[in-house]
Amino acid sequence: MNLSLNQWTTRRWTVAEAVDGCVRHGLEAIGLWRQEVAAQGLAESAKLVREAGLRVSSLCRGGFLTAGGLPGEEGRRAFAEALDDNRRAVDEAAELGAACLVMVVGGLPGVVPGEPMTGPVSRDVAGARERVAEGLAELAPYAGERGVKLALEPLHPVYCADRAVLSTLEQAVDLCLPYPVEQVGVVVDTFHVWWDPRLFEHIARAGERIASYQVCDFLHPLPADVLLGRGMMGDGVIDFAPITRAVLEAGYTGDVEVEIFNADVWAADPDEVLATMKARYAEVVLRS
């Protein structure tokens, strides 16, 4: 496995700056975000990565398929719009040569991340999961035709209402099984799954379905905005070594992305962040 910088860890950097940073720090891969790629330009981003000799370990993100659970015409329109956006994301991933398109599947219909609940909201979590399955049935063949793997990312249950009704690796693997392994896989993100008492069972079960391994720590106490509760490896409560071993034993040979959402990390010098990231990867993530 090789280390990859997820672009959000050095959020102040543009695609061009992040690519340059990876080259200067000796990294071989980068995980990109769609809005930053759009700001740089898709063709220009692909050119920058290609000329730097980097792999794109992932493109984030597709998903948010659950809005189709709203009633009537509003739900039908929201579902169609989500499918259209995901097709665009697949096309972008294909252009970039990304190893996978990360899918954050969406929370309860009508619940918007970071915003008060002022409009209609569905509390039907089972129905929201059905919408995800319906969306995946539409998107998986499209992605397969373009050589893109959709990577379902289960998120910590605290994000179930607003970001992902998939909360466990077991749920994500179950959703993958009807599709060829080349079309649909899963993300193992330590921040989201470390707590799961059945984690190692389902890492083994995922096997070649593991499309991305992302690492960062789970801070304690969490900040007021729990979205920013990700820390540099070694600064929180996660025991990385057994998770890394399990991912390796499952057959994963891809890149290991460091993806951190943290106000202090974002405010720091990005070059210092990369230097710390490399050291902690060796000392904490890969330790035996």
Side-chain angles (χ1 to χ4, degrees):
M1 297 190 295
N2 292 294
L3 184 60
S4 174
L5 169 69
N6 184 287
Q7 188 180 8
W8 223 241
T9 301
T10 52
R11 190 173 176 181
R12 286 190 286 152
W13 272 349
T14 64
V15 171
E17 291 169 331
V19 166
D20 180 65
C22 287
V23 172
R24 286 188 286 103
H25 287 267
L27 302 184
E28 298 178 4
I30 187 169
L32 296 174
W33 280 67
R34 292 181 67 200
Q35 54 266 56
E36 300 302 323
V37 168
Q40 187 76 53
L42 176 60
E44 177 65 14
S45 296
K47 180 181 177 183
L48 286 167
V49 170
R50 182 173 61 251
E51 291 183 348
L54 298 177
R55 296 182 297 276
V56 178
S57 51
S58 74
L59 178 65
C60 196
R61 63 193 178 201
F64 286 89
L65 297 166
T66 55
L70 292 172
E73 181 59 31
E74 184 177 3
R76 287 189 290 272
R77 183 176 63 253
F79 191 58
E81 290 174 353
L83 290 176
D84 286 344
D85 184 62
N86 276 276
R87 293 186 188 102
R88 288 191 293 272
V90 168
D91 294 342
E92 292 161 16
E95 176 72 15
L96 293 164
C100 65
L101 173 65
V102 174
M103 301 289 286
V104 177
V105 297
L108 292 175
V111 178
V112 179
E115 295 185 12
M117 294 194 305
T118 55
V121 170
S122 169
R123 292 171 171 82
D124 181 6
V125 66
R129 290 174 180 140
E130 290 175 4
R131 301 294 84 72
V132 174
E134 291 171 3
L136 192 61
E138 292 282 344
L139 294 169
Y142 185 90
E145 291 169 0
R146 287 150 183 82
V148 172
K149 179 178 285 191
L150 306 178
L152 302 175
E153 182 171 16
L155 268 57
H156 190 282
V158 73
Y159 302 109
C160 184
D162 62 351
R163 285 181 169 84
V165 293
L166 295 183
S167 301
T168 66
L169 189 59
E170 179 180 11
Q171 289 174 306
V173 172
D174 285 347
L175 205 52
C176 287
L177 295 180
Y179 305 99
V181 68
E182 296 82 11
Q183 290 184 8
V184 186
V186 297
V187 180
V188 176
D189 184 321
T190 56
F191 178 85
H192 292 301
V193 301
W194 69 274
W195 57 273
D196 187 346
R198 300 182 66 189
L199 175 61
F200 299 107
E201 171 189 346
H202 291 290
I203 287 175
R205 179 171 168 247
E208 61 181 344
R209 296 270 182 184
I210 300 175
S212 178
Y213 180 38
Q214 296 182 337
V215 296
C216 71
D217 221 328
F218 190 99
L219 298 180
H220 180 79
L222 287 171
D225 184 352
V226 295
L227 185 66
L228 305 184
R230 292 168 171 254
M232 189 64 71
M233 299 79 71
D235 288 349
V237 301
I238 296 177
D239 186 4
F240 288 91
I243 301 176
T244 300
R245 283 197 301 270
V247 169
L248 282 169
E249 289 168 2
Y252 183 71
T253 58
D255 297 301
V256 183
E257 279 189 16
V258 176
E259 183 188 55
I260 300 176
F261 293 28
N262 182 291
D264 292 335
V265 172
W266 290 343
D269 180 342
D271 281 294
E272 293 181 3
V273 171
L274 258 68
T276 302
M277 183 181 93
K278 290 174 64 179
R280 297 290 184 86
Y281 176 68
E283 297 165 2
V284 178
V285 177
L286 296 184
R287 68 178 177 83
S288 60

